[in-house]
Amino acid sequence: MRKGISRAAEMEMAGRTGPGVLMVGGLILSSLWASRAAGQTREAEALELMSPTGPYAVGTWRVAMTDSSRGEPHTPDAGDRRALVVQFWYPAPSEAGAVPSRDAGAVASYMDTATARTWVERHRFPAGFERRVRSHAVPSAVAASGRHPTLVFSHGLSWPVLMYQTYLEDLASHGYVVAAVNHPYGSDMVVYPGGRRVEFDFFPAGSTQAQRDSVLVERVGLWVADLRFVADRLPALDRSDDSPVAGTMDLERLGVLGHSYGGSAAALLLVDDERFAAGLAMEGLVRDSATRPLRMPRPFMHIVGGFNREEMAGTQYRAGDAPYYEVIVDGMWHAMFSDLILLYAALAADDAWRARHRHEITPERGLAVTRELVRAFFDRWLKGEDSVLLHPWWEEDPSAATSPYPEVELRIDF
């Protein structure tokens, strides 16, 4: 695997190059799995996601939100409005499991069957894999008392928010309310509470590489508006009797984060919306027409995998009136900033795939490193809690600046 990726090859790391083909981190993932015959399945024992590390149990809940002020640009009907599905992960009392709902005590399924089917068809996962993956969140769980800092999350292009549960459950277990936005037509599948389904349909049929690059620039503003709209709705949800997160969100401690295209949207929102105190992107290229690097007015962290450092490190963002943290995690590549590679390695990888990846950082290690970095950043800027992970080696006490993760390179710009 090479360290750099070209703009054309990246295609937002998730642009379609043809039916059933996904571009991720400069590699066509379907080619990694081409040796697996269509419909072939692999017997595997149940797989539990990496456990959340915080003191809270985790609840989850989803809600549809329609922005009546905005049309839906992906459809020809001028009457269509922009309709989002937002899934929350939030802290619950550690003894919580008893939930006053029909799902009382049940841990949420990792993924609904419609979304899982897209993983089977497009990512070559074995049929029925979602029944073998165990998450940790309880549907509609009673929330932990008190006010908690709140994060708005944006997924990568084509990847649903359900692909990021290792991160989102862990943040909730440490006392964060996370509102994860499913961007319709930009996710493999968005399933609305009433059963309506919307599949990925982001690029015009037959579009060229240059046309797709243009679409990526043009439509990032749509995603920024999605995130802003969700932030607008949070106060009402905090007051709603129908919301399990009512009375729990501290909207004075508001942050935004995202991966890939969602990271781009998160950064642009932080620039424009003063309600957000801090922001973070995992491999998020600047996607608007602004001159790079983009000046960040509030604390911001950009986490980059070592294989993409040549294109992403030092080129996308810079400090404005607040610290800018750039973190490089050696041995990681784009798809590892999600559950995808963790699950694929456990459920579907063949011997050839394992051989190609045996010298890289393991998915478990990559997720452990990055989710601790994400949490340390928001703990610092939304909770006021410092972390050794956020201190460079030139601090006065070098021993206090020693990172437990030798893979991590930290650069801070003030």
Side-chain angles (χ1 to χ4, degrees):
M1 186 182 299
R2 55 199 173 93
K3 290 188 176 181
I5 53 175
S6 68
R7 178 85 52 183
E10 181 235 356
M11 274 304 298
E12 181 41 36
M13 312 296 190
R16 297 292 192 270
T17 59
V21 177
L22 179 68
M23 185 75 81
V24 178
L27 295 178
I28 299 177
L29 290 189
S30 60
S31 69
L32 298 180
W33 308 320
S35 60
R36 301 188 60 79
Q40 180 181 0
T41 60
R42 177 191 179 98
E43 290 298 325
E45 296 181 359
L47 172 68
E48 182 179 357
L49 288 185
M50 293 172 63
S51 296
T53 59
Y56 291 100
V58 180
T60 189
W61 173 69
R62 68 185 179 123
V63 61
M65 302 181 183
T66 300
D67 186 350
S68 59
S69 69
R70 292 190 295 149
E72 177 51 72
H74 294 88
T75 67
D77 188 343
D80 284 347
R81 301 290 93 184
R82 186 69 171 166
L84 309 175
V85 174
V86 180
Q87 184 143 358
F88 286 83
W89 281 267
Y90 55 91
S94 59
E95 68 277 6
V99 181
S101 73
R102 64 180 183 178
D103 296 317
V107 172
S109 299
Y110 177 74
M111 186 174 286
D112 60 88
T113 56
T115 304
R117 192 174 301 118
T118 68
W119 279 33
V120 173
E121 295 172 353
R122 299 171 186 172
H123 309 316
R124 306 298 193 270
F125 271 67
F129 79 92
E130 74 279 9
R131 296 191 296 271
R132 304 208 300 269
V133 181
R134 296 174 181 171
S135 57
H136 304 93
V138 176
S140 299
V142 175
S145 61
R147 292 283 181 178
H148 306 282
T150 302
L151 302 172
V152 178
F153 175 79
S154 182
H155 58 78
L157 188 62
S158 88
W159 296 1
V161 297
L162 295 171
M163 190 181 283
Y164 299 91
Q165 292 182 64
T166 299
Y167 289 103
L168 305 182
E169 287 186 343
D170 191 63
L171 284 165
S173 78
H174 284 272
Y176 289 91
V177 177
V178 184
V181 182
N182 287 281
H183 301 277
Y185 302 96
S187 169
D188 274 342
M189 176 69 70
V190 176
V191 180
Y192 293 80
R196 176 190 169 212
R197 302 173 183 177
V198 171
E199 296 191 49
F200 181 89
D201 187 15
F202 197 80
F203 299 110
S207 56
T208 65
Q209 181 80 42
Q211 289 170 332
R212 290 185 174 203
D213 285 340
S214 178
V215 169
L216 289 170
V217 171
E218 292 169 1
R219 287 189 171 168
V220 70
L222 177 68
W223 285 34
V224 174
D226 288 346
L227 301 178
R228 183 177 291 110
F229 171 69
V230 170
D232 292 343
R233 292 292 305 275
L234 291 180
L237 286 176
D238 194 60
R239 298 188 300 267
S240 173
D241 293 336
D242 297 327
S243 165
V245 295
T248 69
M249 291 183 281
D250 185 346
L251 300 180
E252 296 298 316
R253 295 186 290 168
L254 189 62
V256 61
L257 73 159
H259 173 229
S260 194
Y261 200 61
S264 307
L268 293 171
L269 181 67
L270 186 69
V271 169
D272 292 336
D273 196 324
E274 294 183 353
R275 290 176 296 181
F276 290 87
L280 182 147
M282 295 179 283
E283 295 211 341
L285 292 176
V286 176
R287 281 295 183 185
D288 71 352
S289 58
T291 301
R292 297 176 183 81
L294 184 64
R295 183 177 182 271
M296 305 308 295
R298 284 172 290 283
F300 186 74
M301 175 178 279
H302 190 208
I303 306 178
V304 177
F307 287 103
N308 294 323
R309 70 166 69 220
E310 290 181 8
E311 182 169 4
M312 294 190 178
T315 63
Q316 302 302 307
Y317 306 99
R318 67 180 178 91
D321 299 324
Y324 165 60
Y325 301 79
E326 183 171 80
V327 180
I328 300 172
V329 185
D330 287 329
M332 288 193 70
W333 55 293
H334 197 73
M336 292 180 72
F337 291 93
S338 70
D339 296 341
L340 189 148
I341 300 300
L342 173 71
L343 297 185
Y344 189 82
L347 297 176
D350 56 22
D351 290 341
W353 188 92
R354 294 177 190 280
R356 281 191 293 272
H357 291 78
R358 68 182 183 275
H359 297 300
E360 308 303 331
I361 189 172
T362 66
E364 293 85 356
R365 178 71 173 180
L367 287 167
V369 170
T370 53
R371 74 179 183 178
E372 188 166 345
L373 286 164
V374 169
R375 190 176 70 251
F377 173 77
F378 284 114
D379 282 352
R380 169 66 182 86
W381 294 105
L382 297 185
K383 294 183 178 181
E385 299 174 2
D386 206 357
S387 168
V388 67
L389 295 179
L390 302 184
H391 289 277
W393 62 268
W394 59 83
E395 289 290 334
E396 292 183 6
D397 182 1
S399 64
T402 301
S403 171
Y405 298 123
E407 305 94 334
V408 173
E409 301 174 32
L410 171 64
R411 305 166 184 172
I412 304 178
D413 183 15
F414 292 94

